[in-house]
Amino acid sequence: MKTKLFSFIFFLVFIIQLYAEYTNDMLLRNFTKPLIVVVLLVWLYVGSNLKGRFHKRIFAGLIFAWLGDVLLIFQKDKPSFFIYGLIAFVFCHIFYIRAFTLDHKSNPNHKTPYFLWVVGAFAIFCSGLFFYLQPKLGPMQFPVLMYAIIATVMAIMTFNRYGKVNIFSFKLIFYAALFFLLSDSILAVNKFSQPIPQSGALIMATYMIAQYLMVYGTISRQLVVTRTEV
C-alpha cells in the first residue's frame, strides 16, 4: 500500500515537472523540482524506518541530491551554483557508494559474473564522453572528471551487488545507475557541447526515474548472505 501511494504521488510530481520543463514554466519548475526528492525521502523513511546503515546512507545521499537540485535552480543567474550543485551530487554518489559497499562486505568472497566486462564498459563509456567534451570544458575539466569518476564507481558498485542481494533490488538499483549516467550524459553534452532539443525534459525524466528506482530498490533490499548486521 505504501509503495502504491508514494508511487502515485511521485508520478504526479513527475508529470508536473516534465510539463514545466516542456513548457519552460520556470515558476512551476522551481516549485516542483525540490519536491522530487522530498517525496522519495518521506517514502524511504516510512518504508524502511531507516532500520539499517544501508538505508541511512541512501537517505543521506538523497539529502545531498535535494541540495543539488535546489542549488541548480539558481545556476542561470549565478553560474557558480552549478559547481556547488555538482559538489552536492558528488556527495550524493559517495553516500550511495558507501551503502553499496555494505552489500559487498556481506559476502566478499562471492564473485560477480562478468564484473570485469561491466567495469570495462562503464570505464570506456565515461572516459569516451569525457574526452569528447574535454576541448570545450575549459576550467571545468577537473570538476567534470572527478564527477565522472565518482559516478562511474557508483554504477560499478551497483553491479557488484549481484548475488549478494535479492534480484529485484539488484535490478532496480542497477537500472537506477544506468539512468543516472544517461541523465548526466545528456546534461553534459547539452551544457558543454551542443544543445539537445527538449534537454530539460530528457534530463529530468531520466534523473527522476533514477532516483525513484534507487529508493524502490533500497526499500525492497534483502541480503542473500548475511555475515554481519548492516
Side-chain angles (χ1 to χ4, degrees):
M1 176 63 87
K2 293 176 183 177
T3 297
K4 291 182 179 179
L5 174 61
F6 282 100
S7 294
F8 176 73
I9 296 172
F10 185 83
F11 177 74
L12 292 180
V13 176
F14 183 94
I15 294 298
I16 295 172
Q17 181 67 29
L18 290 189
Y19 172 80
E21 293 288 347
Y22 184 77
T23 59
N24 200 30
D25 188 330
M26 300 291 290
L27 184 62
L28 181 60
R29 187 188 70 175
N30 294 345
F31 172 75
T32 57
K33 191 174 183 180
L35 294 179
I36 297 167
V37 174
V38 169
V39 173
L40 296 177
L41 282 167
V42 176
W43 180 22
L44 179 55
Y45 181 82
V46 172
S48 70
N49 294 318
L50 304 184
K51 57 189 175 184
R53 285 184 289 164
F54 189 95
H55 302 89
K56 290 182 176 70
R57 292 178 183 183
I58 296 296
F59 190 86
L62 283 169
I63 291 175
F64 278 102
W66 176 84
L67 179 60
D69 285 342
V70 172
L71 290 170
L72 291 179
I73 288 175
F74 303 102
Q75 65 173 313
K76 186 174 182 180
D77 297 325
K78 299 180 179 180
S80 60
F81 274 55
F82 177 79
I83 289 289
Y84 302 147
L86 197 67
I87 294 172
F89 277 106
V90 165
F91 279 101
C92 167
H93 288 317
I94 288 174
F95 273 101
Y96 286 173
I97 291 169
R98 293 187 68 227
F100 304 147
T101 58
L102 295 173
D103 290 340
H104 172 71
K105 291 178 180 178
S106 71
N107 189 6
N109 295 321
H110 174 79
K111 303 299 182 182
T112 304
Y114 307 110
F115 180 69
L116 292 180
W117 288 97
V118 171
V119 170
F122 279 131
I124 290 171
F125 173 78
C126 290
S127 59
L129 179 62
F130 174 76
F131 286 118
Y132 166 73
L133 296 172
Q134 187 180 22
K136 301 178 182 180
L137 291 176
M140 289 295 296
Q141 286 192 41
F142 181 74
V144 170
L145 177 60
M146 290 299 99
Y147 181 86
I149 292 173
I150 294 295
T152 302
V153 171
M154 186 275 294
I156 291 170
M157 289 299 293
T158 65
F159 187 77
N160 195 41
R161 299 173 71 243
Y162 181 80
K164 300 163 187 174
V165 297
N166 56 312
I167 193 66
F168 186 65
S169 175
F170 165 77
K171 286 182 177 180
L172 289 179
I173 290 181
F174 179 65
Y175 294 154
L178 296 181
F179 275 104
F180 266 122
L181 292 181
L182 179 57
S183 179
D184 291 339
S185 299
I186 297 171
L187 186 153
V189 171
N190 181 72
K191 184 173 183 63
F192 299 112
S193 180
Q194 55 186 359
I196 297 175
Q198 291 299 326
S199 59
L202 290 173
I203 293 166
M204 291 308 300
T206 48
Y207 168 72
M208 288 188 287
I209 292 171
Q211 294 287 32
Y212 173 83
L213 294 176
M214 184 67 69
V215 172
Y216 198 172
T218 298
I219 291 174
S220 57
R221 166 186 176 263
Q222 295 176 346
L223 290 176
V224 172
V225 178
T226 307
R227 288 180 52 186
T228 57
E229 183 180 355
V230 297

